[in-house]
Amino acid sequence: VQDAASGQDPGPGGDKGSQRRWKEKILQILGEIQAPLSSLLLRLCHWLLPKLLTRLFLSVQLHQGQLEMVLRAARTPEVPLVFLCSHQSQVDGPLLSFILLSQGVGLPRVAVSAWTSPRLRSLLQRLGGIFLPSWSELDEGLPGAVLDAYVQEVLRSRQPLVLFLEEPSASLRLADPARHWLLRVLRALRDGAVPDILIVPVGIAYDVAP
Protein backbone atom coordinates (compact mmCIF):
# COMPACT_ATOMS: atom_id res chain seq x y z
CA VAL A 1 0.00 0.00 0.00
CA GLN A 2 2.86 2.40 0.83
CA ASP A 3 4.53 1.63 -2.50
CA ALA A 4 1.29 2.34 -4.39
CA ALA A 5 0.74 5.60 -2.51
CA SER A 6 4.32 6.81 -2.99
CA GLY A 7 4.11 6.09 -6.71
CA GLN A 8 1.27 8.59 -7.19
CA ASP A 9 1.26 12.38 -7.22
CA PRO A 10 1.34 13.49 -3.57
CA GLY A 11 -0.20 16.88 -4.26
CA PRO A 12 0.50 20.14 -2.37
CA GLY A 13 1.08 20.42 1.36
CA GLY A 14 4.45 18.76 1.99
CA ASP A 15 5.20 15.30 3.31
CA LYS A 16 3.00 15.46 6.42
CA GLY A 17 0.01 16.84 4.55
CA SER A 18 0.53 14.26 1.82
CA GLN A 19 0.69 11.41 4.33
CA ARG A 20 -2.51 12.59 5.99
CA ARG A 21 -4.35 12.73 2.65
CA TRP A 22 -3.13 9.27 1.65
CA LYS A 23 -4.16 7.86 5.03
CA GLU A 24 -7.65 9.37 4.64
CA LYS A 25 -7.93 7.94 1.14
CA ILE A 26 -6.76 4.49 2.28
CA LEU A 27 -9.25 4.49 5.17
CA GLN A 28 -11.99 5.54 2.75
CA ILE A 29 -11.20 2.58 0.48
CA LEU A 30 -11.02 0.21 3.45
CA GLY A 31 -14.36 1.54 4.73
CA GLU A 32 -15.96 0.62 1.42
CA ILE A 33 -14.64 -2.93 1.76
CA GLN A 34 -15.62 -3.70 5.34
CA ALA A 35 -16.95 -2.26 8.60
CA PRO A 36 -16.45 -3.30 12.23
CA LEU A 37 -18.56 -6.30 13.19
CA SER A 38 -21.56 -5.70 15.45
CA SER A 39 -21.89 -8.38 18.14
CA LEU A 40 -25.45 -7.20 18.89
CA LEU A 41 -26.56 -7.55 15.27
CA LEU A 42 -24.80 -10.91 14.99
CA ARG A 43 -26.61 -12.27 18.06
CA LEU A 44 -29.93 -10.89 16.80
CA CYS A 45 -29.51 -12.46 13.37
CA HIS A 46 -28.35 -15.75 14.90
CA TRP A 47 -31.64 -15.82 16.82
CA LEU A 48 -33.82 -14.52 13.98
CA LEU A 49 -32.45 -16.43 10.98
CA PRO A 50 -33.64 -19.94 12.06
CA LYS A 51 -37.16 -18.53 12.47
CA LEU A 52 -36.96 -17.00 9.00
CA LEU A 53 -35.63 -20.22 7.47
CA THR A 54 -38.48 -22.29 8.94
CA ARG A 55 -40.93 -19.91 7.25
CA LEU A 56 -39.12 -20.00 3.91
CA PHE A 57 -38.27 -23.72 3.71
CA LEU A 58 -39.62 -27.05 4.90
CA SER A 59 -36.06 -28.06 5.77
CA VAL A 60 -32.39 -27.20 5.26
CA GLN A 61 -30.31 -30.29 4.49
CA LEU A 62 -26.56 -30.68 4.97
CA HIS A 63 -24.37 -33.58 3.89
CA GLN A 64 -23.07 -34.71 7.28
CA GLY A 65 -19.99 -36.50 5.94
CA GLN A 66 -18.91 -33.48 3.92
CA LEU A 67 -19.55 -31.19 6.89
CA GLU A 68 -17.25 -33.33 9.04
CA MET A 69 -14.54 -33.01 6.37
CA VAL A 70 -14.90 -29.21 6.48
CA LEU A 71 -14.66 -29.22 10.30
CA ARG A 72 -11.45 -31.28 10.11
CA ALA A 73 -10.04 -28.91 7.49
CA ALA A 74 -10.88 -25.91 9.69
CA ARG A 75 -8.59 -27.34 12.38
CA THR A 76 -5.56 -27.32 10.05
CA PRO A 77 -3.09 -24.90 11.68
CA GLU A 78 -2.15 -21.70 9.81
CA VAL A 79 -4.14 -22.64 6.70
CA PRO A 80 -7.26 -20.56 5.88
CA LEU A 81 -10.46 -21.87 4.30
CA VAL A 82 -11.84 -20.32 1.12
CA PHE A 83 -15.36 -21.41 0.17
CA LEU A 84 -16.14 -21.18 -3.56
CA CYS A 85 -19.91 -21.28 -3.93
CA SER A 86 -22.59 -21.52 -6.52
CA HIS A 87 -25.09 -18.67 -6.21
CA GLN A 88 -28.83 -19.26 -6.53
CA SER A 89 -30.40 -16.59 -4.35
CA GLN A 90 -29.66 -13.54 -2.19
CA VAL A 91 -30.44 -15.80 0.80
CA ASP A 92 -27.25 -17.81 0.09
CA GLY A 93 -24.87 -15.51 1.99
CA PRO A 94 -26.84 -15.29 5.28
CA LEU A 95 -27.69 -19.00 5.08
CA LEU A 96 -24.06 -20.07 4.61
CA SER A 97 -22.84 -17.67 7.31
CA PHE A 98 -25.36 -19.09 9.78
CA ILE A 99 -24.40 -22.69 8.96
CA LEU A 100 -20.66 -22.11 9.30
CA LEU A 101 -21.04 -20.12 12.52
CA SER A 102 -23.46 -22.59 14.11
CA GLN A 103 -21.22 -25.56 13.23
CA GLY A 104 -18.16 -24.00 14.87
CA VAL A 105 -16.22 -23.11 11.70
CA GLY A 106 -16.34 -19.42 12.59
CA LEU A 107 -17.94 -16.28 11.22
CA PRO A 108 -16.91 -15.98 7.56
CA ARG A 109 -16.21 -12.90 5.53
CA VAL A 110 -18.75 -13.10 2.69
CA ALA A 111 -18.13 -11.28 -0.58
CA VAL A 112 -21.40 -9.53 -1.47
CA SER A 113 -22.54 -8.12 -4.80
CA ALA A 114 -22.24 -4.35 -5.08
CA TRP A 115 -25.85 -4.04 -6.28
CA THR A 116 -27.31 -3.24 -2.86
CA SER A 117 -28.73 -0.12 -1.28
CA PRO A 118 -26.41 1.90 1.01
CA ARG A 119 -28.43 0.92 4.12
CA LEU A 120 -28.39 -2.77 3.26
CA ARG A 121 -24.69 -2.55 2.46
CA SER A 122 -23.98 -1.02 5.87
CA LEU A 123 -26.04 -3.73 7.61
CA LEU A 124 -24.34 -6.57 5.73
CA GLN A 125 -20.89 -5.14 6.49
CA ARG A 126 -21.72 -5.23 10.22
CA LEU A 127 -22.61 -8.92 9.79
CA GLY A 128 -19.38 -9.89 8.01
CA GLY A 129 -20.14 -8.91 4.44
CA ILE A 130 -17.33 -7.44 2.34
CA PHE A 131 -17.58 -5.44 -0.86
CA LEU A 132 -15.32 -4.44 -3.70
CA PRO A 133 -14.47 -0.73 -3.42
CA SER A 134 -16.26 1.46 -5.94
CA TRP A 135 -13.14 2.41 -7.87
CA SER A 136 -12.50 1.77 -11.54
CA GLU A 137 -8.78 0.85 -11.28
CA LEU A 138 -9.17 -2.22 -9.05
CA ASP A 139 -6.40 -4.16 -10.76
CA GLU A 140 -3.80 -1.44 -10.18
CA GLY A 141 -3.05 1.67 -8.16
CA LEU A 142 -3.98 2.38 -4.57
CA PRO A 143 -7.46 0.71 -4.50
CA GLY A 144 -5.96 -2.53 -5.83
CA ALA A 145 -3.12 -2.40 -3.29
CA VAL A 146 -5.54 -1.84 -0.37
CA LEU A 147 -7.73 -4.73 -1.59
CA ASP A 148 -4.67 -7.00 -1.91
CA ALA A 149 -3.53 -6.11 1.62
CA TYR A 150 -7.02 -6.63 3.03
CA VAL A 151 -7.42 -10.12 1.56
CA GLN A 152 -3.94 -11.06 2.81
CA GLU A 153 -4.89 -9.99 6.35
CA VAL A 154 -8.17 -11.95 6.22
CA LEU A 155 -6.31 -15.08 5.13
CA ARG A 156 -3.49 -14.60 7.68
CA SER A 157 -6.03 -14.31 10.49
CA ARG A 158 -7.68 -17.55 9.24
CA GLN A 159 -11.12 -16.00 8.87
CA PRO A 160 -13.15 -18.18 6.49
CA LEU A 161 -13.68 -16.40 3.18
CA VAL A 162 -16.83 -17.05 1.12
CA LEU A 163 -16.76 -16.18 -2.60
CA PHE A 164 -19.74 -16.60 -4.91
CA LEU A 165 -18.57 -17.50 -8.40
CA GLU A 166 -21.64 -16.34 -10.28
CA GLU A 167 -24.57 -13.97 -10.02
CA PRO A 168 -28.04 -15.35 -9.17
CA SER A 169 -30.15 -16.25 -12.22
CA ALA A 170 -27.17 -15.65 -14.52
CA SER A 171 -25.50 -18.00 -16.96
CA LEU A 172 -22.85 -20.35 -15.61
CA ARG A 173 -19.85 -18.08 -16.06
CA LEU A 174 -17.40 -16.47 -13.67
CA ALA A 175 -18.78 -13.11 -12.50
CA ASP A 176 -16.52 -10.04 -12.58
CA PRO A 177 -16.58 -9.54 -8.77
CA ALA A 178 -15.57 -13.17 -8.28
CA ARG A 179 -12.66 -12.67 -10.69
CA HIS A 180 -11.38 -9.72 -8.64
CA TRP A 181 -11.60 -11.63 -5.34
CA LEU A 182 -9.99 -14.79 -6.76
CA LEU A 183 -7.14 -12.73 -8.18
CA ARG A 184 -6.41 -11.40 -4.68
CA VAL A 185 -6.50 -14.89 -3.16
CA LEU A 186 -4.06 -16.19 -5.78
CA ARG A 187 -1.74 -13.21 -5.26
CA ALA A 188 -1.73 -13.79 -1.49
CA LEU A 189 -0.69 -17.39 -2.07
CA ARG A 190 1.90 -16.45 -4.69
CA ASP A 191 3.43 -13.74 -2.49
CA GLY A 192 3.72 -16.08 0.49
CA ALA A 193 1.21 -14.26 2.71
CA VAL A 194 -0.07 -17.73 3.72
CA PRO A 195 1.67 -21.10 3.26
CA ASP A 196 -1.37 -22.77 1.72
CA ILE A 197 -5.12 -22.33 1.18
CA LEU A 198 -7.82 -24.97 1.54
CA ILE A 199 -10.44 -24.56 -1.19
CA VAL A 200 -13.92 -25.83 -0.29
CA PRO A 201 -16.43 -26.09 -3.17
CA VAL A 202 -19.99 -25.42 -2.01
CA GLY A 203 -23.14 -26.30 -3.92
CA ILE A 204 -26.39 -24.64 -2.86
CA ALA A 205 -29.66 -25.78 -4.39
CA TYR A 206 -33.34 -25.06 -3.71
CA ASP A 207 -36.47 -26.88 -4.73
CA VAL A 208 -37.80 -23.37 -5.39
CA ALA A 209 -35.31 -20.51 -5.08
CA PRO A 210 -36.63 -17.74 -2.81
Side-chain angles (χ1 to χ4, degrees):
V1 173
Q2 289 176 339
D3 290 343
S6 63
Q8 299 187 32
D9 181 16
D15 290 341
K16 289 187 177 180
S18 174
Q19 289 176 2
R20 185 177 66 254
R21 282 192 297 274
W22 284 126
K23 184 176 180 180
E24 290 173 354
K25 190 172 183 181
I26 289 166
L27 291 176
Q28 178 188 354
I29 297 169
L30 186 60
E32 292 186 5
I33 298 173
Q34 65 146 34
L37 297 175
S38 169
S39 57
L40 177 62
L41 281 175
L42 286 168
R43 287 196 297 268
L44 178 63
C45 287
H46 197 73
W47 171 80
L48 188 61
L49 195 56
K51 301 180 185 302
L52 175 64
L53 293 177
T54 56
R55 289 185 175 273
L56 284 176
F57 310 118
L58 292 176
S59 64
V60 177
Q61 299 178 0
L62 300 175
H63 191 292
Q64 195 62 34
Q66 293 177 356
L67 181 60
E68 290 174 358
M69 292 173 60
V70 172
L71 293 175
R72 286 200 303 271
R75 292 191 288 269
T76 305
E78 298 183 3
V79 178
L81 292 176
V82 176
F83 295 84
L84 301 184
C85 313
S86 59
H87 202 6
Q88 305 295 321
S89 161
Q90 299 298 343
V91 179
D92 295 349
L95 175 62
L96 196 54
S97 293
F98 170 73
I99 290 172
L100 294 177
L101 186 59
S102 64
Q103 296 299 317
V105 177
L107 180 69
R109 288 291 186 172
V110 182
V112 184
S113 171
W115 304 109
T116 55
S117 67
R119 288 185 178 181
L120 181 58
R121 180 181 181 127
S122 177
L123 174 63
L124 292 176
Q125 284 182 319
R126 297 288 181 178
L127 296 172
I130 55 176
F131 294 79
L132 291 172
S134 56
W135 299 69
S136 58
E137 64 274 18
L138 272 181
D139 288 332
E140 57 187 20
L142 189 59
V146 173
L147 190 59
D148 281 333
Y150 175 77
V151 171
Q152 289 183 13
E153 289 303 314
V154 168
L155 296 175
R156 282 197 194 103
S157 62
R158 299 188 68 244
Q159 297 179 70
L161 180 62
V162 174
L163 305 179
F164 292 105
L165 300 180
E166 60 206 13
E167 295 293 339
S169 305
S171 58
L172 293 177
R173 62 182 180 84
L174 187 65
D176 285 340
R179 180 181 64 81
H180 285 295
W181 289 114
L182 285 171
L183 177 62
R184 269 67 204 183
V185 171
L186 291 173
R187 282 181 181 172
L189 187 60
R190 180 198 65 190
D191 295 342
V194 287
D196 201 359
I197 294 172
L198 289 174
I199 300 293
V200 182
V202 178
I204 300 176
Y206 303 92
D207 290 337
V208 178

